[in-house]
Amino acid sequence: PSSVLPPFRPLPLFHTSSLFSSSTHTNMTALVSLLLPILLLAAATTISSHEVHLPGDPTGNVTYLYGNTLVEFITFCYPGESQLTYINLHANENTSVVAAKAVSLFTGGCVFKINHGGERRVTFNVAGSDAVYSVDPNRIYTPKGRNMTMQHVSGSNTFTDHEKALKATKEFANQILSVTRFKLLDTVVAIHNNGPTYSAEAYLPGHVFADAAKAVYILEGSEPRNFFYVTEESHYRYFKAAQLNVVLQKEDVANVDDGSLSVYAGMVGKPYVNIEGAAAGGNNGARVVNEMQYIRATVEMLSHERD
């Protein structure tokens, strides 16, 4: 791959004539112009608790029993040049799913999500016990992370219960890695949404997550809730040059081990890009388009690396 990446020029918010550029899709502009209002309306009315379906939505479902909780692993795949898989681990962060599906509809790629009732945390019981625990599914990929995220909800809480819960959670994490074909991914691309209390500013010196960041770039006047979180310095430089908000994770991930997919990717030497976007609510479909722009930038960067 080339070490010099072409500049990415952020798109005007609703300028659909250049939203997706590809020599193989001559009629793409007209199609996007027709579909975008429909996508935004769907996002505005159903994004908090329902799935948004796009034309020709192909779906692959795998069900998994985590304790007594039935979890669906849902994968939407679209034909096209892009081979990226976008991984969504929080069932209440649908803005990112809508945005990734909208982009993938034209570029190709897959979107993976989990479904277990629409909550951020997954609640499950321990086999043979009344013990109930919950975990954040983005904090379960290391032993330290599993211990930190495990919360007792109800029932007994013996040492045996806790150990069984940790074992079940490790198996749950391995299942997610298997279904997403983590080992085969050249770059791990995660998609997330956030609320008003979390943004790239949290990684600035003196802030709550400062110890996890090697570098932070926030464009003056921009919305800091829209940002990339990356593990590769070349990716950081690319997004910074494109004037897109970006945080670079420290290489010494053992000191910031929270069990997240980004930390695990760093431990096994996988490049990782997380696309964070402000969650849409009410009729704020514009936030879907904002996240689409960040996803499009990722497609362009990684496509150039592959070439």
Side-chain angles (χ1 to χ4, degrees):
S2 171
S3 60
V4 179
L5 298 174
F8 169 75
R9 295 176 176 82
L11 302 169
L13 192 57
F14 291 105
H15 185 51
T16 58
S17 63
S18 61
L19 186 59
F20 299 96
S21 58
S22 171
S23 59
T24 62
H25 295 85
T26 56
N27 295 322
M28 187 176 294
T29 297
L31 190 56
V32 172
S33 299
L34 289 171
L35 287 177
L36 190 54
I38 299 172
L39 295 175
L40 296 182
L41 178 62
T45 57
T46 67
I47 202 164
S48 62
S49 61
H50 297 87
E51 186 56 65
V52 176
H53 294 285
L54 303 183
D57 226 2
T59 306
N61 287 16
V62 175
T63 57
Y64 180 79
L65 199 60
Y66 181 26
N68 69 343
T69 299
L70 189 66
V71 180
E72 282 187 295
F73 299 136
I74 306 172
T75 306
F76 305 91
C77 287
Y78 305 88
E81 294 180 3
S82 175
Q83 301 297 311
L84 296 182
T85 295
Y86 305 97
I87 301 174
N88 174 281
L89 294 173
H90 292 137
N92 64 338
E93 297 180 5
N94 281 337
T95 303
S96 61
V97 174
V98 174
K101 288 169 65 176
V103 172
S104 298
L105 181 64
F106 300 102
T107 65
C110 294
V111 182
F112 169 86
K113 62 170 288 185
I114 65 175
N115 184 32
H116 52 88
E119 301 296 325
R120 178 185 180 89
R121 296 179 66 87
V122 184
T123 301
F124 67 102
N125 79 315
V126 173
S129 171
D130 65 350
V132 179
Y133 296 89
S134 76
V135 297
D136 182 329
N138 192 35
R139 293 291 185 270
I140 60 175
Y141 302 96
T142 68
K144 183 177 179 181
R146 289 189 285 273
N147 270 298
M148 290 172 60
T149 191
M150 187 83 68
Q151 291 182 3
H152 178 247
V153 176
S154 63
S156 65
N157 188 25
T158 66
F159 176 80
T160 300
D161 290 332
H162 190 76
E163 290 300 301
K164 284 183 177 180
L166 286 175
K167 183 176 183 293
T169 301
K170 181 179 180 180
E171 293 170 353
F172 180 50
N174 287 339
Q175 187 70 14
I176 292 174
L177 296 175
S178 174
V179 173
T180 58
R181 300 183 179 182
F182 182 89
K183 290 183 178 180
L184 300 179
L185 300 176
D186 292 329
T187 299
V188 180
V189 182
I191 50 175
H192 285 276
N193 295 122
N194 55 59
T197 61
Y198 178 66
S199 73
E201 292 177 339
Y203 296 89
L204 291 170
H207 290 249
V208 61
F209 297 126
D211 290 344
K214 180 178 180 180
V216 179
Y217 169 77
I218 302 174
L219 177 66
E220 185 176 356
S222 68
E223 171 54 80
R225 288 171 60 189
N226 300 323
F227 67 100
F228 294 101
Y229 186 90
V230 302
T231 59
E232 302 296 304
E233 194 154 352
S234 61
H235 295 168
Y236 175 84
R237 292 195 303 268
Y238 177 84
F239 291 130
K240 181 179 179 181
Q243 296 187 316
L244 296 170
N245 301 333
V246 58
V247 174
L248 176 62
Q249 179 176 275
K250 284 183 178 178
E251 295 96 335
D252 187 11
V253 293
N255 289 331
V256 292
D257 181 3
D258 60 1
S260 62
L261 198 61
S262 67
V263 167
Y264 180 72
M267 287 180 171
V268 299
K270 286 270 190 186
Y272 174 93
V273 175
N274 174 34
I275 306 166
E276 279 280 351
N283 62 354
N284 200 343
R287 287 181 174 171
V288 177
V289 179
N290 286 336
E291 192 152 6
M292 286 171 68
Q293 292 187 7
Y294 272 66
I295 292 170
R296 174 183 174 273
T298 305
V299 173
E300 290 195 358
M301 179 187 72
L302 296 178
S303 295
H304 183 79
E305 280 192 340
R306 191 174 66 249
D307 296 340

